[in-house]
Amino acid sequence: MTLRRTTVLAAALAALLSVAGTAVQAQAPDWKKVRIAVEGAYPPFSEIGTDGKIKGFDIDIANALCAEMKAECALVNQEWDGMIPALQARKFDAIVAQMSITEERQRSVLFTNKYSNTPAWLIAKAGTSADQSAAAWKGKKIGVQRTTTHDRFATEHFKDSEIVRYAKQDEVFLDLAAGRVDAVLCDSVSADMGFMKTPAGKGFARVGAPIDDPKIFGIGAGIAVRKGDTGLQQKLNAAIAAIRANGTYKKIQDKYFDFDVYGQ
């Protein structure tokens, strides 16, 4: 009698687990609708145009990926330093905002393969010494966008400098132009096209060589999704590969850059 009862209970439990598994599978997102966070203050990757609409390389890439996935996408403006917490709070499903794939961030989010890779550079008045040592910048003010890889590198490398942190990259450039900081550490493309090729950036130049520290700067920019959303990660990876293969990526790249922004 006990054996029979145990067998019946086991069968009932297996049936319940099967039903539960089917229900979870049925509730898994099909990712036909995806909410994508973008920054809107990081030209030429993303910025708000004079017509009030968001534009830039990241925006075009996000739209191309959605078209490739045949997904209906909504772009959500989000300030940089709240990106990952807002993703985890389910305010959106993915981040397309030049977010570097680093070991530290991989502890919090899941990344796709990279979709671009550009180096960091120190920007200051033209004619500034090419010396990038900590000693050369002792007592100087270095501007960075808060919570970025540039912020982390500046904090760790320029220990005797005053690191001035801003919410948005364009605010960093404004203070550099006004002389309120001595230099800026940022992405080379953003510095070039978002500042030095503008009237405000006249008289400024790159200092020394590009700064490369894979431990801090990672292996390129990827799209961040929540841990566990592997289905979305896989769809995005497939879409990145597809637009790279069919020429869409190059068409978008050539609209903004005269070099290979995908990098090595």
Side-chain angles (χ1 to χ4, degrees):
M1 185 70 175
T2 304
L3 179 59
R4 205 170 144 197
R5 194 159 126 198
T6 303
T7 303
V8 170
L9 286 172
L13 181 59
L16 284 171
L17 289 172
S18 177
V19 170
T22 302
V24 169
Q25 190 175 24
Q27 292 171 6
D30 59 7
W31 300 115
K32 292 299 183 184
K33 292 185 178 181
V34 182
R35 297 163 300 164
I36 297 178
V38 292
E39 186 182 2
Y42 201 62
F45 297 106
S46 66
E47 61 182 310
I48 306 297
T50 54
D51 58 0
K53 294 180 180 178
I54 195 163
K55 63 179 183 177
F57 174 80
D58 279 355
I59 311 309
D60 289 356
I61 288 292
N63 287 328
L65 294 175
C66 289
E68 185 64 36
M69 295 190 299
K70 296 181 173 55
E72 179 186 331
C73 290
L75 300 184
V76 181
N77 278 70
Q78 171 67 48
E79 288 197 1
W80 172 260
D81 54 5
M83 284 277 184
I84 289 179
L87 174 68
Q88 294 171 329
R90 310 191 78 84
K91 292 184 178 180
F92 37 78
D93 306 303
I95 299 171
V96 180
Q98 289 300 300
M99 185 171 282
S100 299
I101 304 167
T102 65
E103 288 183 10
E104 182 180 8
R105 288 176 180 150
Q106 285 176 318
R107 290 194 283 269
S108 302
V109 299
L110 192 63
F111 277 103
T112 63
N113 298 330
K114 74 166 186 175
Y115 69 96
S116 68
N117 191 12
T118 54
W121 221 301
L122 201 61
I123 309 300
K125 281 282 189 182
T128 299
S129 167
D131 190 345
Q132 295 175 343
S133 68
W137 291 90
K138 183 177 180 178
K140 303 289 187 180
K141 292 183 178 181
I142 299 176
V144 294
Q145 186 177 11
R146 188 167 56 235
T147 74
T148 59
T149 51
H150 307 108
D151 181 355
R152 182 181 169 193
F153 182 89
T155 301
E156 292 187 11
H157 181 72
F158 298 108
K159 293 183 182 297
D160 295 320
S161 302
E162 180 182 347
I163 309 304
V164 186
R165 298 172 177 86
Y166 301 81
K168 298 178 180 179
Q169 186 62 49
D170 53 2
E171 294 173 355
V172 192
F173 292 143
L174 284 172
D175 270 14
L176 179 62
R180 287 187 281 269
V181 294
D182 300 296
V184 165
L185 181 63
C186 62
D187 177 81
S188 59
V189 176
S190 178
D192 187 37
M193 303 185 70
F195 179 63
M196 290 188 294
K197 286 186 177 178
T198 71
K202 187 176 180 181
F204 291 88
R206 296 172 177 177
V207 176
I211 297 172
D212 184 23
D213 185 338
K215 183 180 177 183
I216 292 179
F217 293 114
I219 55 173
I223 300 169
V225 302
R226 284 181 293 275
K227 287 207 166 196
D229 284 346
T230 54
L232 180 55
Q233 179 203 37
Q234 290 166 4
K235 281 180 174 285
L236 286 165
N237 274 337
I240 291 170
I243 66 170
R244 289 275 299 160
N246 65 22
T248 301
Y249 183 96
K250 188 175 188 308
K251 184 177 179 181
I252 294 171
Q253 170 189 275
D254 292 350
K255 178 179 172 182
Y256 297 95
F257 313 112
D258 58 3
F259 58 91
D260 178 14
V261 75
Y262 188 77
Q264 299 300 314

